[in-house]
Amino acid sequence: MGFFSNFFGSGKSNEVKSHQLPSDIVCQEFGEVDVRKTSKATEVFFTILMEPQGTEAEGWQTGVALDASASMENVFGKGINPVNGKKLPDNLLNDYAKRGWLQVYKIQGQNIPVLTMEGKKDLVDKGYFTWTKNEMQPLARQMTEYLASNLDADGGTTTIYWACGEDGKQVEVLGDYTAENCSNAVFGGPTKTCFGKGTYLLPAVRYFVDRFEDAKRGMYIFITDGELHDLEDVKKYTTQLAKKIEAKKRNPVKCVLIGIGNDINEDQMEELDDLETGTDVDVWDHKIAKEMRSLIEIFAEVVSENTIVAPSATIYDDSGNVVIKFSDGLPAKVTFEMSPTSDAFELEVMGRRIRQTLISRKS
């Protein structure tokens, strides 16, 4: 969403920043709605929700990267939940420690006791705990199938685990999934490495960018549940990448960070989304999985301002005043300004009026 600042200023620290409305309050016709309120105006940017069209739908390579850091074990069905009424014997954990099934790791400066899979399995087998549900697998299946069948030039979406290995900096490649084999694909966490003790995104970004260097376009989805440990490195790399794309030294890349669970660091996600690279190239978008209405939302920032979606349209403020008319056609990307007191707008198009509130939990 970095391109928003190209319309509304340089993004200096003393300026009021824009914010992206959560998907669950955005009208189904819009892909993304961004708002910036100042003392002088309410500034709005929105896109029309649609898949890439015409030549923009050609030549894509796609990828899905699944966070395999230690905090994701529960999401992959590799965590355990206690059984009510079941109390552990006093010496059981000491026995696990002696066997090497209970280990202590230093994570973010704290000593954290971690059960190995052998220890977890023993607790489940003894009836003290049950396995968590694998919530990642259905999401991964849906995402890979959608990209493989609707966008990928080869009909196969490359899928990897990231943030795995002892240091959380490893990538484990699962392979290319077609729409036909996605429904039976198993996504249960890393098997060649282990769940990582850190969450490092840059190796996964580099993997896709380097592997598909010659692709006409790239769309890469990164699913995570928590906080990135290499945000500054990712920002630096993204800036370099954006400059190469603007200089025509490589083809466009779009990356979408999707947060799942209740411990998402959305501030970090927004930092990437709003990253100023000194170019007109916008590499990152972000979404929150529980707010997404459909998978098509990953294309919210892929549409072109040159795409005309309707022959004419009019935008009104929340008092019914005409803000802007599109007599030569409604583009897929729109920016406009209203009164600073306006908290909604209406888009009149093809005989319909679509009312969009601008008030959210972040307003």
Side-chain angles (χ1 to χ4, degrees):
M1 203 274 300
F3 56 77
F4 187 76
S5 62
N6 293 325
F7 297 112
F8 298 133
S10 61
K12 295 179 182 178
S13 59
N14 62 339
E15 293 183 346
V16 179
K17 290 185 177 181
S18 66
H19 70 271
Q20 181 175 319
L21 296 184
S23 295
D24 53 1
I25 71 165
V26 172
C27 295
Q28 62 181 0
E29 293 82 4
F30 302 134
E32 181 175 307
V33 179
D34 300 320
V35 183
R36 189 177 79 141
K37 278 186 172 288
T38 70
S39 60
K40 297 181 179 180
T42 298
E43 303 166 339
V44 180
F45 164 85
F46 70 80
T47 65
I48 301 298
L49 186 60
M50 58 190 297
E51 294 179 348
Q53 305 290 314
T55 57
E56 293 180 359
E58 300 172 356
W60 289 91
Q61 289 294 331
T62 63
V64 173
L66 310 176
D67 181 350
S69 59
S71 63
M72 292 289 288
E73 288 187 340
N74 287 355
V75 182
F76 279 103
K78 297 295 174 62
I80 52 176
N81 291 320
V83 175
N84 290 336
K86 289 280 190 175
K87 184 180 179 181
L88 294 180
D90 293 336
N91 63 344
L92 186 59
L93 293 182
N94 287 332
D95 179 51
Y96 283 0
K98 292 177 181 178
R99 296 189 186 193
W101 292 356
L102 181 63
Q103 302 173 355
V104 177
Y105 292 92
K106 186 175 288 293
I107 301 176
Q108 296 185 36
Q110 297 184 8
N111 291 326
I112 307 295
V114 177
L115 279 168
T116 64
M117 288 306 298
E118 292 90 348
K120 292 178 182 179
K121 185 177 184 301
D122 194 62
L123 286 175
V124 172
D125 290 344
K126 285 182 167 63
Y128 296 113
F129 284 77
T130 59
W131 293 110
T132 57
K133 182 181 178 181
N134 187 339
E135 299 175 356
M136 177 61 79
Q137 183 161 280
L139 176 60
R141 286 176 173 176
Q142 292 172 6
M143 187 64 70
T144 52
E145 181 178 10
Y146 182 80
L147 289 172
S149 59
N150 291 284
L151 193 65
D152 196 275
D154 303 321
T157 294
T158 303
T159 307
I160 65 173
Y161 294 128
W162 61 281
C164 48
E166 286 293 334
D167 57 3
K169 298 179 180 179
Q170 308 303 309
V171 168
E172 183 175 319
V173 181
L174 284 78
D176 295 348
Y177 289 87
T178 65
E180 291 72 26
N181 61 27
C182 285
S183 60
N184 296 319
V186 176
F187 300 103
T191 57
K192 299 176 183 177
T193 56
C194 62
F195 286 95
K197 304 306 184 291
T199 308
Y200 293 87
L201 176 61
L202 184 55
V205 179
R206 284 184 179 275
Y207 173 82
F208 287 128
V209 171
D210 293 346
R211 175 174 173 177
F212 300 115
E213 183 177 3
D214 297 328
K216 188 174 182 179
R217 299 177 178 89
M219 164 72 79
Y220 310 120
I221 311 299
F222 303 86
I223 302 175
T224 185
D225 75 329
E227 184 168 339
L228 302 177
H229 295 156
D230 62 344
L231 178 62
E232 292 306 313
D233 289 338
V234 174
K235 288 163 66 175
K236 290 177 183 177
Y237 178 81
T238 300
T239 299
Q240 295 169 358
L241 180 62
K243 289 179 178 178
K244 287 181 180 179
I245 294 172
E246 185 173 70
K248 308 296 184 184
K249 294 181 179 179
R250 68 154 298 123
N251 291 328
V253 171
K254 189 66 184 178
C255 298
V256 182
L257 196 60
I258 297 181
I260 62 173
N262 299 317
D263 298 318
I264 305 163
N265 188 329
E266 193 171 0
D267 289 339
Q268 284 191 333
M269 300 175 77
E270 289 178 344
E271 273 195 66
L272 274 182
D273 198 337
D274 296 337
L275 180 64
E276 292 300 329
T277 63
T279 73
D280 290 334
V281 176
D282 181 47
V283 174
W284 285 97
D285 188 13
H286 88 280
K287 301 293 176 187
I288 305 301
K290 65 183 179 182
E291 297 174 357
M292 292 179 69
R293 301 153 295 171
S294 67
L295 294 182
I296 194 176
E297 287 189 37
I298 63 175
F299 300 120
E301 292 186 358
V302 176
V303 295
S304 169
E305 59 270 15
N306 297 321
T307 301
I308 301 299
V309 296
S312 62
T314 303
I315 292 177
Y316 302 86
D317 64 17
D318 55 2
S319 297
N321 301 309
V322 174
V323 175
I324 186 171
K325 285 191 173 185
F326 298 93
S327 56
D328 296 328
L330 174 67
K333 291 182 178 180
V334 175
T335 60
F336 62 92
E337 294 185 359
M338 302 185 295
S339 161
T341 60
S342 295
D343 290 323
F345 72 88
E346 289 190 353
L347 172 65
E348 184 178 52
V349 58
M350 300 180 72
R352 297 179 56 220
R353 277 208 180 194
I354 304 164
R355 183 177 179 83
Q356 176 62 59
T357 180
L358 303 181
I359 301 175
S360 74
R361 63 179 185 273
K362 298 179 182 179
S363 294

